Amino acid sequence: MPDGLYSFYLHSDDHTDIAAMATINTISQPLRGEFIRTVATAGAVVYQADPRLPALIPVFFDGQLSAVRLSAVMAMVSGTWSSLTGLPDEPDTWKPAGEMPAERERRRYTLALQDDRGSERVETLLAGVSSRLRGDLLRNLIITGLALHTTAPELPRLLASLPVPPATVSELQAIVRQMVRAEPGGAGIREAGETENAVSPVTTSPGAETAGIKKNMRRAFGD
């Protein structure tokens, strides 16, 4: 395959892949190539903040990644448990998984990288792993970007266009908070301590705070 062109496959018997295909299909065909390139670059930016995130985010992507759940995944990786305090309730959107098709099918997509800064980030990551692992890494980068698109449609484009990408999960969290707040009705993620500044201070025992954090983790991950 020519330089800058990478093929990846999504499968009809994998729930995450089905959600990824459905997200790609929301983009019109003429814009799809640029969209795939943008989400791949956003996935690479997330990888540079913490390599564990692109492996974790697809696990929690079922066609819609809420800001609350994304915040919880980043908090779990970075250990910033205080950022989970005050997470709002999420509506129960769980539904039984549909039946898988009798025959396993796969659909091929092509990532066409260009001569720009974002594409260079993706290509550098892909070149840094063995050919045996390259397919899995590319899939994770793209599905991560697709998941971020469902959190806030402009989020992947913002991450892909940053001249200096976030170097840590904390910096990535700050960008996500700002973007989600800019979306209509997007006030779900608060800075740690923001609620306390807005209301009268309440003394909370360490045990109660830990219990609250665990409750929010269960809520965010659908347990």
Side-chain angles (χ1 to χ4, degrees):
M1 181 163 287
D3 290 344
L5 291 180
Y6 295 89
S7 289
F8 64 99
Y9 295 89
L10 298 176
H11 300 86
S12 61
D13 61 350
D14 182 282
H15 288 296
T16 301
D17 283 12
I18 292 171
M21 285 188 282
T23 304
I24 292 173
N25 289 339
T26 63
I27 306 301
S28 64
Q29 189 69 42
L31 301 176
R32 202 166 289 174
E34 181 184 357
F35 176 70
I36 290 175
R37 187 164 52 250
T38 298
V39 297
T41 304
V45 170
V46 171
Y47 182 97
Q48 289 176 317
D50 193 303
R52 295 169 292 179
L53 283 174
L56 279 173
I57 289 175
V59 174
F60 299 101
F61 178 54
D62 60 0
Q64 177 66 48
L65 182 68
S66 70
V68 171
R69 187 161 297 192
L70 175 59
S71 177
V73 173
M74 291 189 292
M76 179 174 64
V77 167
S78 64
T80 54
W81 309 113
S82 61
S83 65
L84 295 179
T85 303
L87 281 179
D89 289 330
E90 274 198 309
D92 185 6
T93 57
W94 181 87
K95 55 184 177 181
E99 293 185 3
M100 290 294 185
E103 295 185 3
R104 184 175 188 264
E105 299 177 355
R106 69 176 186 174
R107 183 168 180 180
R108 176 179 172 177
Y109 296 86
T110 300
L111 167 65
L113 297 178
Q114 297 182 335
D115 185 17
D116 57 31
R117 182 174 50 215
S119 294
E120 183 180 352
R121 288 171 183 161
V122 178
E123 197 142 30
T124 299
L125 289 181
L126 296 178
V129 299
S130 67
S131 57
R132 183 174 60 87
L133 301 176
R134 195 168 296 152
D136 287 340
L137 175 59
L138 179 57
R139 174 186 177 273
N140 285 341
L141 295 181
I142 289 173
I143 293 181
T144 293
L146 293 172
L148 297 179
H149 173 78
T150 67
T151 303
E154 293 301 320
L155 182 53
R157 185 175 297 277
L158 172 65
L159 293 177
S161 64
L162 290 173
V164 180
T168 64
V169 178
S170 295
E171 292 179 7
L172 180 62
Q173 285 174 312
I175 293 172
V176 170
R177 277 192 290 264
Q178 293 171 6
M179 175 57 68
V180 170
R181 284 173 174 172
E183 291 294 306
I189 302 178
R190 291 188 290 266
E191 297 278 358
E194 183 174 320
T195 301
E196 289 78 2
N197 293 335
V199 298
S200 300
V202 178
T203 302
T204 306
S205 66
E209 182 178 355
T210 301
I213 290 174
K214 289 181 178 178
K215 179 181 178 181
N216 282 326
M217 284 290 288
R218 289 194 297 269
R219 179 189 301 147
F221 291 125
D223 183 2

